Amino acid sequence: YRPLSEDHLFDMEYWPLQLKKKGPRDHRPLLGRVAVVTGAGGAIGLGVADRLLEAGADVALTDVSEERLAKAAHLLGLKHGPERLAAVPFDITRMDQVENGFDAIGRLLGGLDILVPNAGIAHVARIEDLDTETVSRVMAVNFLGVFHGIKAAVPIFRRQGTGGHVVIISSKNVFDPGASFSAYSSSKAAAHQMGKIAAMELAPMGVRVNMINPDAVFGCGDVSSGLWDLVGPDRMRSRGLDPSCMADYYRDRNLLKARVTAEHVGNAVVFFASDLVPTTGATLTVDGGVTGAFPR
């Protein structure tokens, strides 16, 4: 009997394949998943994409504005690297563009596992002052955009046969609307109801559909919310308040006195997409606690 030499034992113990067992493992919950975020050039879309990338997903950014889209892709690329990112501009109000965009994303990233319909616009006006063209434009983005995204994703989910997630960025206004905000609130309520029905129809494929109701997300880093830039001052004036105090007003009206961020919304998306609970057709509020917006 002659024992192995210490050099030989060392080589065996520190053989690269042995070290694999000891090395750190990547436990990110969305590793290997492909996510699509519409309206990714805006504040919430940027925050959602950031959290999805942090959770390990490959992310396709979409927006109608190529300028906003390029900025979002640049910022996320600096933080996470460009390898897991794709930027595909298209207009979510056009079904043909959505289908072509999803085809391009499939070729670039290899499929679709998580769809986040987020794109939205708003308009402040009393019903008596609204015109049909404005209402149609808001509905086209906020409601038809969600419909187009889900409809285009269904055949992809069916072909893949691996389930999936749709996480709709809805709004606190679905349960707690305000005066002079009827076009926005109605369009978001319609998309919200579409999500509930999609949850029923897509469950046999293992696709879960859930909604997130944020409130008052004013920006993400140096990317401000185009929606709030446009409607924020008018919303404050409709309440007889000073527009310069907008952020403080929305913080102080919620139970937790919290400033809601785009990253908070993104964390909620990751929660749903991580399969931590067997949930579909649900609404998760991300608003600091607005009593009028409690789901019921």
Side-chain angles (χ1 to χ4, degrees):
Y1 171 79
R2 185 176 64 186
L4 293 172
S5 69
E6 289 191 10
D7 288 345
H8 193 94
L9 288 171
F10 182 89
D11 289 341
M12 287 297 296
E13 288 296 322
Y14 289 88
W15 185 32
L17 286 178
Q18 290 287 83
L19 292 175
K20 280 283 188 181
K21 296 187 295 185
K22 298 181 178 180
R25 296 184 181 180
D26 195 331
H27 295 290
R28 288 177 293 174
L30 302 182
L31 196 66
R33 310 280 186 88
V34 176
V36 175
V37 181
T38 71
I44 290 181
L46 181 64
V48 168
D50 173 72
R51 294 295 85 200
L52 286 167
L53 286 161
E54 189 69 26
D58 294 353
V59 178
L61 313 172
T62 79
D63 202 286
V64 70
S65 168
E66 295 191 30
E67 181 181 353
R68 289 198 305 265
L69 192 58
K71 182 176 182 180
H74 173 71
L75 292 172
L76 292 168
L78 288 176
K79 182 174 180 181
H80 299 281
E83 300 82 10
R84 294 185 292 119
L85 272 171
V88 181
F90 58 77
D91 182 351
I92 49 99
T93 70
R94 295 274 307 276
M95 186 65 191
D96 59 333
Q97 291 195 23
V98 176
E99 289 176 328
N100 291 337
F102 281 21
D103 285 344
I105 290 165
R107 289 192 297 271
L108 290 167
L109 298 179
L112 169 61
D113 303 293
I114 303 160
L115 172 64
V116 186
N118 163 71
I121 61 173
H123 184 80
V124 177
R126 297 179 63 82
I127 292 173
E128 62 185 305
D129 299 321
L130 272 173
D131 58 78
T132 302
E133 182 180 350
T134 298
V135 174
S136 297
R137 179 168 54 87
V138 175
M139 288 293 292
V141 176
N142 297 356
F143 170 64
L144 283 180
V146 173
F147 165 67
H148 288 160
I150 295 174
K151 183 175 174 63
V154 168
I156 301 173
F157 287 140
R158 181 172 287 114
R159 286 197 304 270
Q160 291 178 164
T162 54
H165 289 271
V166 178
V167 186
I168 299 170
I169 306 303
S170 190
S171 171
K172 159 261 176 192
N173 285 71
V174 169
F175 297 140
D176 188 26
S180 301
F181 219 27
S182 58
Y184 176 82
S185 300
S186 299
S187 64
K188 284 291 189 177
H192 202 95
Q193 189 77 334
M194 173 75 72
K196 293 181 179 180
I197 295 168
M200 302 176 199
E201 296 183 358
L202 303 188
M205 288 193 291
V207 176
R208 307 177 189 193
V209 184
N210 292 290
M211 285 69 68
I212 294 172
N213 284 10
D215 184 38
V217 177
F218 299 112
C220 181
D222 62 352
V223 175
S224 64
S225 165
L227 185 150
W228 280 102
D229 290 343
L230 178 66
V231 306
D234 286 339
R235 296 297 295 141
M236 291 295 285
R237 282 190 284 268
S238 73
R239 295 183 170 95
L241 300 171
D242 183 355
S244 66
C245 300
M246 182 168 59
D248 291 338
Y249 167 77
Y250 282 98
R251 177 200 64 202
D252 292 340
R253 81 172 184 176
N254 69 59
L255 296 174
L256 300 177
K257 303 297 184 282
R259 291 192 188 276
V260 181
T261 69
E263 290 82 0
H264 291 146
V265 181
N267 289 337
V269 171
V270 171
F271 166 73
F272 276 131
S274 298
D275 291 324
L276 293 173
V277 292
T279 299
T280 193
T283 302
L284 177 60
T285 61
V286 184
D287 59 11
V290 177
T291 55
F294 285 178
R296 59 187 184 274

mmCIF file of all heavy atoms in Angstrom, residues 126-172:
data_model
loop_
_atom_site.group_PDB
_atom_site.id
_atom_site.type_symbol
_atom_site.label_atom_id
_atom_site.label_comp_id
_atom_site.label_asym_id
_atom_site.label_seq_id
_atom_site.Cartn_x
_atom_site.Cartn_y
_atom_site.Cartn_z
ATOM 1 N N ARG A 126 -62.713 67.900 -17.379
ATOM 2 C CA ARG A 126 -64.042 67.474 -16.959
ATOM 3 C C ARG A 126 -64.759 66.841 -18.137
ATOM 4 O O ARG A 126 -64.445 67.120 -19.301
ATOM 5 C CB ARG A 126 -64.839 68.661 -16.417
ATOM 6 C CG ARG A 126 -64.224 69.285 -15.159
ATOM 7 C CD ARG A 126 -65.050 70.477 -14.674
ATOM 8 N NE ARG A 126 -66.388 70.079 -14.271
ATOM 9 C CZ ARG A 126 -66.700 69.565 -13.077
ATOM 10 N NH1 ARG A 126 -65.750 69.382 -12.172
ATOM 11 N NH2 ARG A 126 -67.937 69.236 -12.798
ATOM 12 N N ILE A 127 -65.728 65.974 -17.864
ATOM 13 C CA ILE A 127 -66.426 65.255 -18.927
ATOM 14 C C ILE A 127 -67.033 66.230 -19.933
ATOM 15 O O ILE A 127 -66.965 66.018 -21.154
ATOM 16 C CB ILE A 127 -67.516 64.342 -18.327
ATOM 17 C CG1 ILE A 127 -66.859 63.200 -17.538
ATOM 18 C CG2 ILE A 127 -68.420 63.772 -19.417
ATOM 19 C CD1 ILE A 127 -67.838 62.332 -16.766
ATOM 20 N N GLU A 128 -67.601 67.330 -19.459
ATOM 21 C CA GLU A 128 -68.257 68.274 -20.366
ATOM 22 C C GLU A 128 -67.264 68.955 -21.304
ATOM 23 O O GLU A 128 -67.645 69.459 -22.362
ATOM 24 C CB GLU A 128 -69.014 69.334 -19.570
ATOM 25 C CG GLU A 128 -68.134 70.194 -18.678
ATOM 26 C CD GLU A 128 -68.948 71.152 -17.824
ATOM 27 O OE1 GLU A 128 -69.742 71.924 -18.403
ATOM 28 O OE2 GLU A 128 -68.803 71.109 -16.593
ATOM 29 N N ASP A 129 -65.971 68.929 -20.929
ATOM 30 C CA ASP A 129 -64.954 69.564 -21.766
ATOM 31 C C ASP A 129 -64.160 68.570 -22.611
ATOM 32 O O ASP A 129 -63.316 68.977 -23.410
ATOM 33 C CB ASP A 129 -63.975 70.358 -20.880
ATOM 34 C CG ASP A 129 -64.671 71.456 -20.098
ATOM 35 O OD1 ASP A 129 -65.577 72.094 -20.671
ATOM 36 O OD2 ASP A 129 -64.319 71.657 -18.911
ATOM 37 N N LEU A 130 -64.406 67.287 -22.436
ATOM 38 C CA LEU A 130 -63.690 66.268 -23.198
ATOM 39 C C LEU A 130 -64.247 66.167 -24.612
ATOM 40 O O LEU A 130 -65.446 66.349 -24.834
ATOM 41 C CB LEU A 130 -63.828 64.900 -22.523
ATOM 42 C CG LEU A 130 -62.812 64.526 -21.448
ATOM 43 C CD1 LEU A 130 -63.230 63.218 -20.808
ATOM 44 C CD2 LEU A 130 -61.408 64.424 -22.016
ATOM 45 N N ASP A 131 -63.371 65.842 -25.554
ATOM 46 C CA ASP A 131 -63.827 65.560 -26.909
ATOM 47 C C ASP A 131 -63.559 64.098 -27.238
ATOM 48 O O ASP A 131 -62.704 63.444 -26.630
ATOM 49 C CB ASP A 131 -63.135 66.476 -27.922
ATOM 50 C CG ASP A 131 -61.626 66.349 -27.886
ATOM 51 O OD1 ASP A 131 -61.102 65.374 -28.439
ATOM 52 O OD2 ASP A 131 -60.963 67.227 -27.272
ATOM 53 N N THR A 132 -64.287 63.601 -28.198
ATOM 54 C CA THR A 132 -64.205 62.188 -28.554
ATOM 55 C C THR A 132 -62.802 61.797 -28.997
ATOM 56 O O THR A 132 -62.321 60.707 -28.671
ATOM 57 C CB THR A 132 -65.214 61.871 -29.671
ATOM 58 O OG1 THR A 132 -66.526 62.215 -29.224
ATOM 59 C CG2 THR A 132 -65.176 60.395 -30.045
ATOM 60 N N GLU A 133 -62.143 62.668 -29.719
ATOM 61 C CA GLU A 133 -60.800 62.354 -30.222
ATOM 62 C C GLU A 133 -59.823 62.122 -29.077
ATOM 63 O O GLU A 133 -59.016 61.184 -29.110
ATOM 64 C CB GLU A 133 -60.299 63.495 -31.109
ATOM 65 C CG GLU A 133 -58.933 63.232 -31.712
ATOM 66 C CD GLU A 133 -58.459 64.378 -32.583
ATOM 67 O OE1 GLU A 133 -59.263 65.296 -32.869
ATOM 68 O OE2 GLU A 133 -57.277 64.363 -32.986
ATOM 69 N N THR A 134 -59.906 62.952 -28.025
ATOM 70 C CA THR A 134 -59.012 62.793 -26.876
ATOM 71 C C THR A 134 -59.292 61.487 -26.132
ATOM 72 O O THR A 134 -58.366 60.751 -25.779
ATOM 73 C CB THR A 134 -59.160 63.981 -25.912
ATOM 74 O OG1 THR A 134 -58.793 65.185 -26.586
ATOM 75 C CG2 THR A 134 -58.285 63.797 -24.683
ATOM 76 N N VAL A 135 -60.567 61.215 -25.890
ATOM 77 C CA VAL A 135 -60.919 59.970 -25.203
ATOM 78 C C VAL A 135 -60.439 58.765 -26.010
ATOM 79 O O VAL A 135 -59.891 57.800 -25.460
ATOM 80 C CB VAL A 135 -62.437 59.892 -24.960
ATOM 81 C CG1 VAL A 135 -62.820 58.538 -24.374
ATOM 82 C CG2 VAL A 135 -62.893 61.009 -24.033
ATOM 83 N N SER A 136 -60.615 58.797 -27.316
ATOM 84 C CA SER A 136 -60.189 57.693 -28.167
ATOM 85 C C SER A 136 -58.677 57.500 -28.112
ATOM 86 O O SER A 136 -58.186 56.362 -28.105
ATOM 87 C CB SER A 136 -60.634 57.937 -29.616
ATOM 88 O OG SER A 136 -62.036 57.980 -29.710
ATOM 89 N N ARG A 137 -57.935 58.602 -28.060
ATOM 90 C CA ARG A 137 -56.476 58.509 -28.016
ATOM 91 C C ARG A 137 -56.020 57.879 -26.706
ATOM 92 O O ARG A 137 -55.131 57.011 -26.684
ATOM 93 C CB ARG A 137 -55.863 59.906 -28.181
ATOM 94 C CG ARG A 137 -54.341 59.931 -28.138
ATOM 95 C CD ARG A 137 -53.818 61.283 -28.601
ATOM 96 N NE ARG A 137 -54.407 62.380 -27.861
ATOM 97 C CZ ARG A 137 -53.927 62.852 -26.702
ATOM 98 N NH1 ARG A 137 -52.843 62.296 -26.172
ATOM 99 N NH2 ARG A 137 -54.506 63.847 -26.083
ATOM 100 N N VAL A 138 -56.611 58.295 -25.582
ATOM 101 C CA VAL A 138 -56.253 57.726 -24.281
ATOM 102 C C VAL A 138 -56.633 56.251 -24.221
ATOM 103 O O VAL A 138 -55.863 55.408 -23.750
ATOM 104 C CB VAL A 138 -56.918 58.515 -23.137
ATOM 105 C CG1 VAL A 138 -56.648 57.854 -21.788
ATOM 106 C CG2 VAL A 138 -56.411 59.957 -23.116
ATOM 107 N N MET A 139 -57.816 55.915 -24.723
ATOM 108 C CA MET A 139 -58.245 54.522 -24.726
ATOM 109 C C MET A 139 -57.342 53.662 -25.617
ATOM 110 O O MET A 139 -57.052 52.508 -25.292
ATOM 111 C CB MET A 139 -59.692 54.417 -25.206
ATOM 112 C CG MET A 139 -60.725 54.930 -24.223
ATOM 113 S SD MET A 139 -60.858 53.936 -22.717
ATOM 114 C CE MET A 139 -61.561 52.427 -23.365
ATOM 115 N N ALA A 140 -56.897 54.236 -26.721
ATOM 116 C CA ALA A 140 -56.062 53.471 -27.658
ATOM 117 C C ALA A 140 -54.766 53.027 -27.002
ATOM 118 O O ALA A 140 -54.306 51.902 -27.197
ATOM 119 C CB ALA A 140 -55.768 54.318 -28.900
ATOM 120 N N VAL A 141 -54.154 53.905 -26.206
ATOM 121 C CA VAL A 141 -52.888 53.558 -25.551
ATOM 122 C C VAL A 141 -53.136 52.696 -24.314
ATOM 123 O O VAL A 141 -52.560 51.610 -24.164
ATOM 124 C CB VAL A 141 -52.105 54.824 -25.158
ATOM 125 C CG1 VAL A 141 -50.833 54.454 -24.391
ATOM 126 C CG2 VAL A 141 -51.748 55.629 -26.404
ATOM 127 N N ASN A 142 -54.015 53.154 -23.438
ATOM 128 C CA ASN A 142 -54.150 52.530 -22.121
ATOM 129 C C ASN A 142 -54.964 51.236 -22.123
ATOM 130 O O ASN A 142 -54.719 50.351 -21.288
ATOM 131 C CB ASN A 142 -54.794 53.513 -21.143
ATOM 132 C CG ASN A 142 -53.949 54.748 -20.911
ATOM 133 O OD1 ASN A 142 -52.835 54.863 -21.427
ATOM 134 N ND2 ASN A 142 -54.470 55.681 -20.146
ATOM 135 N N PHE A 143 -55.921 51.123 -23.023
ATOM 136 C CA PHE A 143 -56.728 49.907 -23.080
ATOM 137 C C PHE A 143 -56.341 49.025 -24.272
ATOM 138 O O PHE A 143 -55.956 47.863 -24.106
ATOM 139 C CB PHE A 143 -58.212 50.242 -23.147
ATOM 140 C CG PHE A 143 -59.075 49.048 -23.446
ATOM 141 C CD1 PHE A 143 -59.139 47.985 -22.558
ATOM 142 C CD2 PHE A 143 -59.809 48.978 -24.615
ATOM 143 C CE1 PHE A 143 -59.921 46.859 -22.837
ATOM 144 C CE2 PHE A 143 -60.589 47.866 -24.898
ATOM 145 C CZ PHE A 143 -60.646 46.812 -24.015
ATOM 146 N N LEU A 144 -56.405 49.578 -25.485
ATOM 147 C CA LEU A 144 -56.068 48.770 -26.654
ATOM 148 C C LEU A 144 -54.610 48.316 -26.618
ATOM 149 O O LEU A 144 -54.284 47.223 -27.085
ATOM 150 C CB LEU A 144 -56.335 49.560 -27.941
ATOM 151 C CG LEU A 144 -57.800 49.675 -28.377
ATOM 152 C CD1 LEU A 144 -57.903 50.491 -29.660
ATOM 153 C CD2 LEU A 144 -58.437 48.308 -28.561
ATOM 154 N N GLY A 145 -53.728 49.132 -26.053
ATOM 155 C CA GLY A 145 -52.331 48.740 -25.944
ATOM 156 C C GLY A 145 -52.159 47.478 -25.112
ATOM 157 O O GLY A 145 -51.366 46.598 -25.439
ATOM 158 N N VAL A 146 -52.918 47.379 -24.015
ATOM 159 C CA VAL A 146 -52.891 46.170 -23.177
ATOM 160 C C VAL A 146 -53.482 44.987 -23.941
ATOM 161 O O VAL A 146 -52.927 43.879 -23.952
ATOM 162 C CB VAL A 146 -53.645 46.409 -21.851
ATOM 163 C CG1 VAL A 146 -53.764 45.113 -21.065
ATOM 164 C CG2 VAL A 146 -52.946 47.485 -21.025
ATOM 165 N N PHE A 147 -54.617 45.231 -24.593
ATOM 166 C CA PHE A 147 -55.252 44.178 -25.392
ATOM 167 C C PHE A 147 -54.311 43.665 -26.484
ATOM 168 O O PHE A 147 -54.142 42.450 -26.661
ATOM 169 C CB PHE A 147 -56.539 44.728 -26.011
ATOM 170 C CG PHE A 147 -57.094 43.881 -27.118
ATOM 171 C CD1 PHE A 147 -57.602 42.611 -26.872
ATOM 172 C CD2 PHE A 147 -57.105 44.352 -28.424
ATOM 173 C CE1 PHE A 147 -58.106 41.827 -27.903
ATOM 174 C CE2 PHE A 147 -57.604 43.582 -29.456
ATOM 175 C CZ PHE A 147 -58.107 42.321 -29.199
ATOM 176 N N HIS A 148 -53.673 44.578 -27.210
ATOM 177 C CA HIS A 148 -52.776 44.160 -28.289
ATOM 178 C C HIS A 148 -51.613 43.329 -27.744
ATOM 179 O O HIS A 148 -51.213 42.318 -28.347
ATOM 180 C CB HIS A 148 -52.229 45.390 -29.012
ATOM 181 C CG HIS A 148 -53.246 46.089 -29.850
ATOM 182 N ND1 HIS A 148 -53.101 47.398 -30.259
ATOM 183 C CD2 HIS A 148 -54.436 45.668 -30.366
ATOM 184 C CE1 HIS A 148 -54.148 47.752 -30.982
ATOM 185 N NE2 HIS A 148 -54.977 46.729 -31.050
ATOM 186 N N GLY A 149 -51.055 43.762 -26.616
ATOM 187 C CA GLY A 149 -49.928 43.035 -26.039
ATOM 188 C C GLY A 149 -50.304 41.621 -25.642
ATOM 189 O O GLY A 149 -49.589 40.655 -25.946
ATOM 190 N N ILE A 150 -51.440 41.479 -24.958
ATOM 191 C CA ILE A 150 -51.873 40.147 -24.523
ATOM 192 C C ILE A 150 -52.209 39.277 -25.724
ATOM 193 O O ILE A 150 -51.800 38.108 -25.804
ATOM 194 C CB ILE A 150 -53.081 40.260 -23.574
ATOM 195 C CG1 ILE A 150 -52.685 40.977 -22.276
ATOM 196 C CG2 ILE A 150 -53.648 38.877 -23.261
ATOM 197 C CD1 ILE A 150 -53.847 41.262 -21.345
ATOM 198 N N LYS A 151 -52.935 39.835 -26.681
ATOM 199 C CA LYS A 151 -53.333 39.063 -27.863
ATOM 200 C C LYS A 151 -52.109 38.569 -28.635
ATOM 201 O O LYS A 151 -52.072 37.417 -29.092
ATOM 202 C CB LYS A 151 -54.221 39.914 -28.777
ATOM 203 C CG LYS A 151 -54.745 39.167 -30.004
ATOM 204 C CD LYS A 151 -55.714 40.013 -30.790
ATOM 205 C CE LYS A 151 -56.134 39.330 -32.092
ATOM 206 N NZ LYS A 151 -56.868 38.064 -31.844
ATOM 207 N N ALA A 152 -51.091 39.428 -28.778
ATOM 208 C CA ALA A 152 -49.882 39.035 -29.505
ATOM 209 C C ALA A 152 -49.057 38.010 -28.727
ATOM 210 O O ALA A 152 -48.341 37.198 -29.323
ATOM 211 C CB ALA A 152 -49.029 40.267 -29.815
ATOM 212 N N ALA A 153 -49.159 38.043 -27.397
ATOM 213 C CA ALA A 153 -48.373 37.119 -26.571
ATOM 214 C C ALA A 153 -48.983 35.724 -26.509
ATOM 215 O O ALA A 153 -48.255 34.736 -26.334
ATOM 216 C CB ALA A 153 -48.240 37.675 -25.152
ATOM 217 N N VAL A 154 -50.301 35.611 -26.648
ATOM 218 C CA VAL A 154 -50.973 34.317 -26.475
ATOM 219 C C VAL A 154 -50.410 33.232 -27.393
ATOM 220 O O VAL A 154 -50.073 32.132 -26.921
ATOM 221 C CB VAL A 154 -52.498 34.465 -26.648
ATOM 222 C CG1 VAL A 154 -53.166 33.101 -26.764
ATOM 223 C CG2 VAL A 154 -53.093 35.226 -25.470
ATOM 224 N N PRO A 155 -50.287 33.461 -28.706
ATOM 225 C CA PRO A 155 -49.745 32.377 -29.542
ATOM 226 C C PRO A 155 -48.301 32.020 -29.197
ATOM 227 O O PRO A 155 -47.889 30.864 -29.366
ATOM 228 C CB PRO A 155 -49.857 32.932 -30.970
ATOM 229 C CG PRO A 155 -50.035 34.398 -30.824
ATOM 230 C CD PRO A 155 -50.717 34.608 -29.523
ATOM 231 N N ILE A 156 -47.539 32.975 -28.687
ATOM 232 C CA ILE A 156 -46.164 32.682 -28.270
ATOM 233 C C ILE A 156 -46.179 31.793 -27.038
ATOM 234 O O ILE A 156 -45.472 30.772 -26.967
ATOM 235 C CB ILE A 156 -45.386 33.983 -27.995
ATOM 236 C CG1 ILE A 156 -45.350 34.858 -29.246
ATOM 237 C CG2 ILE A 156 -43.969 33.674 -27.517
ATOM 238 C CD1 ILE A 156 -44.742 36.226 -29.023
ATOM 239 N N PHE A 157 -46.992 32.148 -26.041
ATOM 240 C CA PHE A 157 -47.118 31.308 -24.846
ATOM 241 C C PHE A 157 -47.566 29.895 -25.224
ATOM 242 O O PHE A 157 -47.073 28.902 -24.684
ATOM 243 C CB PHE A 157 -48.129 31.919 -23.869
ATOM 244 C CG PHE A 157 -47.654 33.150 -23.152
ATOM 245 C CD1 PHE A 157 -48.518 34.223 -22.935
ATOM 246 C CD2 PHE A 157 -46.363 33.256 -22.668
ATOM 247 C CE1 PHE A 157 -48.101 35.354 -22.260
ATOM 248 C CE2 PHE A 157 -45.933 34.384 -21.994
ATOM 249 C CZ PHE A 157 -46.804 35.438 -21.785
ATOM 250 N N ARG A 158 -48.511 29.815 -26.155
ATOM 251 C CA ARG A 158 -49.042 28.493 -26.541
ATOM 252 C C ARG A 158 -47.961 27.660 -27.223
ATOM 253 O O ARG A 158 -47.809 26.469 -26.927
ATOM 254 C CB ARG A 158 -50.246 28.664 -27.456
ATOM 255 C CG ARG A 158 -50.872 27.329 -27.879
ATOM 256 C CD ARG A 158 -52.168 27.500 -28.635
ATOM 257 N NE ARG A 158 -53.254 27.920 -27.756
ATOM 258 C CZ ARG A 158 -53.862 29.099 -27.825
ATOM 259 N NH1 ARG A 158 -53.501 29.982 -28.734
ATOM 260 N NH2 ARG A 158 -54.839 29.405 -26.987
ATOM 261 N N ARG A 159 -47.193 28.263 -28.130
ATOM 262 C CA ARG A 159 -46.137 27.519 -28.818
ATOM 263 C C ARG A 159 -45.051 27.063 -27.845
ATOM 264 O O ARG A 159 -44.529 25.955 -27.953
ATOM 265 C CB ARG A 159 -45.501 28.385 -29.912
ATOM 266 C CG ARG A 159 -46.342 28.573 -31.152
ATOM 267 C CD ARG A 159 -45.507 29.061 -32.331
ATOM 268 N NE ARG A 159 -44.785 30.286 -32.048
ATOM 269 C CZ ARG A 159 -45.264 31.514 -32.255
ATOM 270 N NH1 ARG A 159 -46.492 31.662 -32.747
ATOM 271 N NH2 ARG A 159 -44.541 32.576 -31.993
ATOM 272 N N GLN A 160 -44.708 27.916 -26.895
ATOM 273 C CA GLN A 160 -43.633 27.569 -25.956
ATOM 274 C C GLN A 160 -44.054 26.459 -25.008
ATOM 275 O O GLN A 160 -43.252 25.590 -24.650
ATOM 276 C CB GLN A 160 -43.210 28.810 -25.159
ATOM 277 C CG GLN A 160 -42.505 29.859 -25.995
ATOM 278 C CD GLN A 160 -42.142 31.099 -25.205
ATOM 279 O OE1 GLN A 160 -41.329 31.888 -25.646
ATOM 280 N NE2 GLN A 160 -42.729 31.316 -24.050
ATOM 281 N N GLY A 161 -45.306 26.508 -24.556
ATOM 282 C CA GLY A 161 -45.806 25.473 -23.658
ATOM 283 C C GLY A 161 -45.147 25.458 -22.296
ATOM 284 O O GLY A 161 -45.110 24.416 -21.631
ATOM 285 N N THR A 162 -44.636 26.600 -21.854
ATOM 286 C CA THR A 162 -43.930 26.671 -20.572
ATOM 287 C C THR A 162 -44.591 27.630 -19.591
ATOM 288 O O THR A 162 -43.962 28.060 -18.626
ATOM 289 C CB THR A 162 -42.466 27.096 -20.791
ATOM 290 O OG1 THR A 162 -42.433 28.325 -21.543
ATOM 291 C CG2 THR A 162 -41.690 26.032 -21.543
ATOM 292 N N GLY A 163 -45.858 27.981 -19.834
ATOM 293 C CA GLY A 163 -46.519 28.936 -18.961
ATOM 294 C C GLY A 163 -46.044 30.348 -19.228
ATOM 295 O O GLY A 163 -45.537 30.660 -20.310
ATOM 296 N N GLY A 164 -46.192 31.198 -18.240
ATOM 297 C CA GLY A 164 -45.754 32.582 -18.405
ATOM 298 C C GLY A 164 -46.502 33.513 -17.475
ATOM 299 O O GLY A 164 -47.330 33.081 -16.653
ATOM 300 N N HIS A 165 -46.198 34.792 -17.616
ATOM 301 C CA HIS A 165 -46.807 35.816 -16.765
ATOM 302 C C HIS A 165 -47.156 37.051 -17.580
ATOM 303 O O HIS A 165 -46.380 37.470 -18.442
ATOM 304 C CB HIS A 165 -45.849 36.235 -15.645
ATOM 305 C CG HIS A 165 -45.642 35.195 -14.601
ATOM 306 N ND1 HIS A 165 -46.445 35.080 -13.486
ATOM 307 C CD2 HIS A 165 -44.732 34.195 -14.513
ATOM 308 C CE1 HIS A 165 -46.025 34.060 -12.754
ATOM 309 N NE2 HIS A 165 -44.984 33.506 -13.353
ATOM 310 N N VAL A 166 -48.314 37.614 -17.288
ATOM 311 C CA VAL A 166 -48.671 38.958 -17.735
ATOM 312 C C VAL A 166 -48.903 39.769 -16.468
ATOM 313 O O VAL A 166 -49.722 39.386 -15.621
ATOM 314 C CB VAL A 166 -49.934 38.963 -18.611
ATOM 315 C CG1 VAL A 166 -50.286 40.395 -19.016
ATOM 316 C CG2 VAL A 166 -49.755 38.083 -19.840
ATOM 317 N N VAL A 167 -48.159 40.852 -16.316
ATOM 318 C CA VAL A 167 -48.309 41.716 -15.134
ATOM 319 C C VAL A 167 -48.644 43.104 -15.645
ATOM 320 O O VAL A 167 -47.786 43.822 -16.174
ATOM 321 C CB VAL A 167 -47.038 41.740 -14.275
ATOM 322 C CG1 VAL A 167 -47.307 42.535 -12.993
ATOM 323 C CG2 VAL A 167 -46.577 40.328 -13.934
ATOM 324 N N ILE A 168 -49.905 43.484 -15.514
ATOM 325 C CA ILE A 168 -50.393 44.750 -16.050
ATOM 326 C C ILE A 168 -50.139 45.866 -15.043
ATOM 327 O O ILE A 168 -50.508 45.750 -13.864
ATOM 328 C CB ILE A 168 -51.896 44.663 -16.358
ATOM 329 C CG1 ILE A 168 -52.158 43.588 -17.417
ATOM 330 C CG2 ILE A 168 -52.444 46.007 -16.809
ATOM 331 C CD1 ILE A 168 -53.628 43.265 -17.619
ATOM 332 N N ILE A 169 -49.506 46.943 -15.507
ATOM 333 C CA ILE A 169 -49.353 48.124 -14.647
ATOM 334 C C ILE A 169 -50.640 48.924 -14.760
ATOM 335 O O ILE A 169 -50.869 49.657 -15.724
ATOM 336 C CB ILE A 169 -48.125 48.971 -15.052
ATOM 337 C CG1 ILE A 169 -46.869 48.093 -15.092
ATOM 338 C CG2 ILE A 169 -47.954 50.118 -14.067
ATOM 339 C CD1 ILE A 169 -46.544 47.375 -13.795
ATOM 340 N N SER A 170 -51.489 48.749 -13.784
ATOM 341 C CA SER A 170 -52.801 49.370 -13.763
ATOM 342 C C SER A 170 -52.703 50.723 -13.031
ATOM 343 O O SER A 170 -51.746 51.461 -13.260
ATOM 344 C CB SER A 170 -53.796 48.425 -13.100
ATOM 345 O OG SER A 170 -55.109 48.876 -13.247
ATOM 346 N N SER A 171 -53.613 51.036 -12.160
ATOM 347 C CA SER A 171 -53.580 52.349 -11.505
ATOM 348 C C SER A 171 -54.443 52.360 -10.257
ATOM 349 O O SER A 171 -55.483 51.686 -10.197
ATOM 350 C CB SER A 171 -54.087 53.429 -12.462
ATOM 351 O OG SER A 171 -54.252 54.668 -11.808
ATOM 352 N N LYS A 172 -54.024 53.144 -9.297
ATOM 353 C CA LYS A 172 -54.833 53.405 -8.112
ATOM 354 C C LYS A 172 -56.207 53.941 -8.509
ATOM 355 O O LYS A 172 -57.216 53.719 -7.817
ATOM 356 C CB LYS A 172 -54.078 54.392 -7.212
ATOM 357 C CG LYS A 172 -54.919 55.153 -6.204
ATOM 358 C CD LYS A 172 -55.242 56.548 -6.704
ATOM 359 C CE LYS A 172 -56.168 57.278 -5.741
ATOM 360 N NZ LYS A 172 -56.716 58.516 -6.367
#
